[in-house]
């Protein structure tokens, strides 16, 4: 591992940067829920912008995110299968996922989380990952952190971007986006199609032979209508329709293996809002309605499972510039969630919950170089009652950005999911999961930003975690009427670790960056048989290094090396998942001013590995494509 870290500190993931190359050159929106210079943010955040995403050529959002500090990705097979994203050792259901600021989390899933498996890069042009509990501004589920995905925005001039690629196992992809402005109306609209024969979800190294394919249609829309200089209307939409073949437990042995099963997922996200900037823009108001709808099904070949989830959110947010360097953000929200689910055509389970929220946050710069942030939130749930969270952070630079010190304390909570509350296994006495965490770090820039090093220590303690419990006769207490089990708040966990990064740019054409993450995530449930054992599927060590070089004649070449350490597949730590190393190569060459050819080889050394026991992963794969811009 020390050797891997040494490599990471000599090279790096190009352009996936935690801190801007020069002070004030990066604006983020996720940390404060409004635009804020990154050097005024005390929390840990990573950014992938449009240039980063284009250079990396990655198909799935989760594969981009796995190269970021503190992020762990597990997948039930190839692209399109169920994919979980964990931040700093938290459960995947404790990650808030947003697209253009609207929550993607699925109310119909057992834990209420978001499945990243159906989320392709498509026309996504920016990814921000906020690490650490963040419920003050983002509410329920923001225990591990927040992932905010931003699609292509409208442009002043007419712009057309399109790409198409083909590759390994009959994979094909086409994506296009058009944007521009006509009078007061600004528009960005796009769509994409992806298909692949795929790999066997049951690991081919363990005997899987049937390829499990994947198909996806997607679309995005972003409109802004300026009614006056101070008032505008926003409308945004995102749609995804996927079908993926999976493997399962077929009769008569019910052993995991190749089957004819498949699942479908349809997701729609919509938003409409009114924006009003008052008092010469110092008081910015937004009144919006957000809508998320998901429809999932499993088939073998008849339907074996069906679930629908819907989330409606009415929200107001105000941002006030009080004096120079001081800003207040505040808002109120009402979120109503519904779900239905049924298995094998049986009776439907139904559920509904409502949560009302109020929050406020103040950012102040009392002296030059020091920015302090503090906030408070209260949520009132119609089932379990209230939850209050607080948080504070600070960032200080004594030398105009050459040295930056950061620290934060924050709290998070996760409301019980509708399934945990109101399904046939539900327990309506559940309390919210809670967590509090802190981190502290330093960033040092040298040689006018040509060298940048950073290190962050973090810790998070979680209580009242919800787990499934078995019920035995005689049935009483929370087990009454639940012969097959129910849910209860009985678990605790601790996660702590270190994130280290180094970025080098010795000449403008060469960018290098490396990151190393150590996570120690453990079960701290008193009396549990697995007390102090590592949490399942949380690798303790990971390293990512990337180098990208722009040649004088226009050719761009790059490589990414990722090492993920060992983990365990179960709570008892009896089943080990071996670590692995992945190497990717890429290149792009402009043919004309508007046309570019690109290609990549993923998993160059054909590493055989698993992120979940028995589930397959892709071997060596090559892809090539063309990109057009006007």
């Amino acid at each position: 591992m020390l050797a891997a870290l040494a490599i990471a500190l000599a090279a790096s993931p190009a352009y996936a940067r935690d801190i801007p190359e020069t002070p004030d050159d990066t604006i983020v929106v996720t940390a404060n829920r409004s635009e804020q210079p990154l050097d005024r943010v005390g929390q840990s955040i990573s950014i992938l912008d449009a240039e980063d995403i284009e250079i990396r050529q990655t198909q799935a959002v989760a594969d981009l995110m796995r190269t970021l500090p503190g992020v762990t990705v597990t997948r039930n097979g190839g692209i399109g299968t169920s994919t979980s994203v964990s931040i700093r050792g938290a459960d995947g259901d404790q990650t808030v996922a947003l697209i253009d600021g609207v929550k993607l989390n699925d109310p119909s899933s057992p834990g209420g989380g978001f499945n990243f498996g159906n989320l392709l890069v498509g026309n996504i042009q920016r990814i921000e990952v906020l690490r650490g509990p963040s419920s003050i501004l983002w509410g329920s589920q923001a225990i591990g952190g927040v992932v905010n995905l931003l699609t292509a925005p409208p442009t002043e001039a007419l712009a057309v971007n399109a790409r198409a690629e083909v590759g390994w196992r009959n994979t094909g992809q086409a994506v296009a986006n058009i944007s521009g402005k006509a009078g007061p109306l600004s528009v960005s609209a796009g769509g994409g199609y992806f298909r692949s024969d795929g790999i066997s979800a049951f690991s081919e190294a363990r005997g899987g032979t049937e390829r499990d394919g994947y198909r996806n249609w997607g679309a995005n829309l972003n409109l802004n209508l300026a009614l006056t200089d101070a008032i505008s209307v926003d409308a945004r939409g995102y749609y995804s329709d996927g079908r993926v073949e999976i493997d399962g437990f077929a009769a008569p042995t019910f052993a995991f293996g190749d089957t004819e099963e498949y699942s479908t997922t349809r997701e729609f996200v919509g938003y409409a809002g009114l924006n009003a900037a008052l008092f010469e823009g110092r008081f910015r108001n937004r009144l919006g309605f957000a809508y998320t709808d998901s429809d999932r099904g499993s088939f073998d070949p008849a339907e074996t499972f069906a679930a629908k989830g819907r989330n409606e959110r009415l929200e107001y947010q105000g941002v006030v510039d009080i004096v120079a360097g001081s800003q207040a953000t505040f808002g109120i929200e009402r979120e109503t969630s519904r779900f239905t689910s049924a298995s094998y055509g049986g009776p439907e389970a139904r559920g509904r919950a409502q949560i009302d929220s109020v929050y406020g946050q103040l950012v102040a710069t009392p002296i030059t170089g020091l920015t302090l942030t503090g906030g408070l939130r209260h949520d009132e749930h119609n089932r379990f009652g209230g939850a209050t969270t607080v948080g504070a952070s600070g960032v200080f630079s004594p030398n105009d950005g050459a040295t930056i010190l950061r620290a934060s304390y924050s709290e998070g909570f996760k409301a019980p999911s509708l399934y945990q509350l109101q399904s046939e296994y539900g327990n309506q006495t559940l309390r919210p999961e809670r967590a509090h965490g802190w981190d502290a770090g330093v960033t040092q820039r040298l040689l006018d930003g040509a060298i940048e090093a950073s290190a962050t220590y973090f810790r998070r303690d979680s209580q009242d975690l919800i787990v499934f419990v078995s019920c035995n006769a005689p049935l009483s207490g929370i087990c009454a009427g639940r012969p097959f089990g129910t849910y209860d708040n009985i678990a605790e966990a601790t996660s702590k670790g270190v994130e280290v990064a180094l970025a080098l740019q010795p000449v403008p054409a060469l960018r290098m960056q490396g990151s190393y993450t150590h996570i120690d995530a453990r079960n701290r449930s008193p009396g549990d048989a697995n007390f102090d054992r590592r949490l399942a599927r949380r690798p303790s060590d990971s390293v990512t290094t990337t180098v990208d070089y722009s040649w004088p004649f226009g050719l761009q070449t790059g490589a990414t090396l990722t090492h993920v350490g060992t983990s365990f597949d179960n709570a008892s730590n009896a089943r080990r998942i071996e670590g692995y190393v992945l190497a990717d190569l890429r290149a792009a060459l402009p043919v004309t001013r508007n046309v570019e050819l690109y290609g990549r080889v993923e998993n160059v050394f054909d590493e055989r590995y698993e992120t979940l026991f028995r589930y397959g992963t892709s071997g060596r794969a090559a892809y090539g494509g063309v990109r057009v811009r006007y």
Side-chain angles (χ1 to χ4, degrees):
M1 178 50 60
L2 290 176
L5 178 57
I7 293 173
L9 297 179
S12 80
Y15 315 45
R17 48 188 181 274
D18 285 352
I19 305 296
E21 295 165 20
T22 58
D24 301 325
D25 75 342
T26 300
I27 301 295
V28 297
V29 297
T30 310
N32 290 340
R33 206 161 172 173
S34 62
E35 292 187 352
Q36 196 75 227
L38 186 52
D39 68 349
R40 298 188 68 207
V41 173
Q43 294 173 278
S44 298
I45 188 168
S46 293
I47 304 150
L48 290 163
D49 62 21
E51 184 180 24
D52 309 338
I53 294 169
E54 180 177 306
I55 288 173
R56 299 284 282 276
Q57 303 180 22
T58 307
Q59 296 167 339
V61 168
D63 290 332
L64 277 172
M65 292 177 54
R66 67 178 170 81
T67 65
L68 298 176
V71 177
T72 301
V73 174
T74 56
R75 179 182 282 148
N76 292 18
I79 189 168
T81 56
S82 180
T83 304
S84 175
V85 171
S86 167
I87 300 177
R88 287 182 171 175
D91 190 80
D93 292 333
Q94 296 172 339
T95 298
V96 167
L98 311 163
I99 192 158
D100 292 329
V102 181
K103 272 192 176 183
L104 287 168
N105 299 60
D106 181 5
S108 72
S109 67
F114 176 66
N115 172 18
F116 281 82
N118 215 39
L119 185 61
L120 302 180
V121 170
N123 285 310
I124 292 171
Q125 289 199 357
R126 185 178 179 88
I127 301 172
E128 296 182 1
V129 179
L130 182 65
R131 300 190 292 278
S134 305
S135 285
I136 290 176
L137 295 181
W138 296 109
S140 176
Q141 296 183 297
I143 287 179
V146 179
V147 177
N148 193 8
L149 311 154
L150 304 174
T151 59
T155 55
E156 288 290 325
L158 180 64
V160 178
N161 294 277
R163 69 181 187 273
E165 69 175 51
V166 295
W168 183 69
R169 296 202 172 177
N170 294 321
T171 297
Q173 182 180 32
V175 178
N177 195 87
I178 183 170
S179 60
K181 185 176 182 180
L185 180 64
S186 301
V187 181
S188 177
Y193 173 75
F194 179 94
R195 63 92 54 212
S196 177
D197 286 351
I199 63 170
S200 174
F202 173 46
S203 173
E204 294 176 7
R206 297 179 181 272
T209 58
E210 171 211 27
R211 294 183 182 180
D212 293 309
Y214 176 58
R215 182 271 303 156
N216 179 279
W217 293 95
N220 58 279
L221 178 67
N222 190 332
L223 305 175
N224 180 271
L225 178 64
L227 302 178
T228 70
D229 290 341
I231 301 175
S232 64
V233 175
D234 280 333
R236 301 190 290 271
Y238 173 82
Y239 177 79
S240 177
D241 185 321
R243 181 188 187 277
V244 62
E245 296 169 354
I246 57 178
D247 289 328
F249 300 84
T253 64
F254 297 100
F256 185 63
D258 289 332
T259 66
E260 297 296 323
E261 297 177 57
Y262 68 94
S263 65
T264 60
T265 302
R266 182 191 57 78
E267 297 161 321
F268 172 74
V269 175
Y271 171 85
L274 176 67
N275 310 297
L278 308 177
F279 306 110
E280 298 180 338
R282 293 180 56 192
F283 183 17
R284 298 175 295 281
N285 300 268
R286 178 176 60 83
L287 179 64
F289 175 75
Y291 179 86
T292 304
D293 183 81
S294 63
D295 188 344
R296 298 180 293 119
S298 297
F299 303 85
D300 185 25
E303 186 175 78
T304 59
F305 175 77
K308 295 182 179 181
R310 188 171 71 197
N311 196 64
E312 299 170 354
R313 177 189 292 260
L314 183 63
E315 56 188 17
Y316 164 78
Q317 178 176 294
V319 180
V320 180
D321 297 328
I322 303 171
V323 296
S326 296
Q327 184 183 86
T329 300
F330 50 90
I332 56 174
E333 301 172 343
R334 166 165 287 187
E335 180 181 290
T336 304
S337 301
R338 298 176 176 85
F339 95 107
T340 63
S341 69
S343 298
Y344 295 96
E348 279 190 344
R350 292 178 174 270
R352 179 186 181 278
Q354 181 176 292
I355 187 166
D356 295 323
S357 312
V358 57
Y359 62 86
Q361 179 172 277
L362 180 65
V363 180
T365 304
I367 61 174
T368 301
L370 174 64
T371 299
L372 302 175
T373 302
L376 174 72
R377 181 188 186 97
H378 181 76
D379 294 87
E380 196 69 28
H381 193 280
N382 70 326
R383 296 287 178 177
F384 64 74
T388 301
T389 50
V390 299
S393 66
V395 56
F396 177 62
S397 176
N399 48 18
D400 197 28
T403 304
I404 300 176
L405 305 174
R406 283 181 165 84
S408 71
Y409 169 84
S410 54
E411 297 178 350
F413 82 99
K414 177 183 177 295
S417 72
L418 296 180
Y419 190 88
Q420 291 165 344
L421 285 169
Q422 299 172 354
S423 72
E424 62 269 36
Y425 306 101
N427 174 6
Q428 297 203 31
T429 67
L430 289 174
R431 304 180 303 278
E433 299 179 338
R434 293 182 177 272
H436 61 273
W438 64 273
D439 61 18
V442 58
T443 297
Q444 182 66 53
R445 298 190 183 97
L446 301 170
L447 302 178
D448 295 325
I451 301 175
E452 178 180 295
S454 65
T456 302
Y457 175 85
F458 65 87
R459 180 186 175 104
R460 183 187 62 252
D461 295 285
S462 303
Q463 302 84 33
D464 289 334
L465 299 180
I466 298 171
V467 298
F468 185 79
V469 296
S470 300
C471 290
N472 300 311
L475 301 176
S476 60
I478 63 171
C479 284
R482 298 287 186 268
F484 303 110
T486 187
Y487 290 92
D488 200 6
N489 297 96
I490 60 173
E492 298 182 11
T494 296
S495 181
K496 57 187 177 180
V498 177
E499 297 160 348
V500 181
L502 177 69
L504 304 173
Q505 192 171 7
V507 295
L510 177 63
R511 292 176 181 258
M512 303 181 291
Q513 187 177 329
S515 66
Y516 165 71
T517 302
H518 173 74
I519 298 175
D520 183 14
R522 294 186 178 271
N523 180 341
R524 302 297 295 173
S525 306
D528 192 287
N530 297 313
F531 180 81
D532 207 36
R533 289 193 168 93
R534 286 169 53 186
L535 298 183
R537 301 161 187 168
R538 271 75 156 188
S540 57
D541 298 285
S542 59
V543 178
T544 294
T545 67
T546 301
V547 180
D548 281 271
Y549 186 75
S550 299
W551 298 81
F553 56 92
L555 176 68
Q556 286 188 328
T557 55
T560 299
L561 183 68
T562 301
H563 165 71
V564 177
T566 58
S567 61
F568 295 97
D569 191 62
N570 53 7
S572 64
N573 292 181
R575 188 161 54 227
R576 183 184 178 99
I577 299 176
E578 297 298 331
Y580 55 90
V581 177
L582 300 178
D584 302 329
L585 299 175
R586 56 185 171 272
L589 179 66
V591 179
T592 70
R593 187 169 62 90
N594 305 110
V595 179
E596 179 182 77
L597 300 177
Y598 67 90
R600 67 188 180 280
V601 180
E602 298 176 349
N603 195 0
V604 173
F605 300 112
D606 202 26
E607 178 87 334
R608 298 294 180 179
Y609 69 100
E610 296 176 349
T611 62
L612 294 172
F613 177 60
R614 296 181 298 196
Y615 285 93
T617 53
S618 297
R620 184 188 300 114
Y623 304 89
V626 59
R627 183 178 287 112
V628 179
R629 302 183 185 87
Y630 288 99

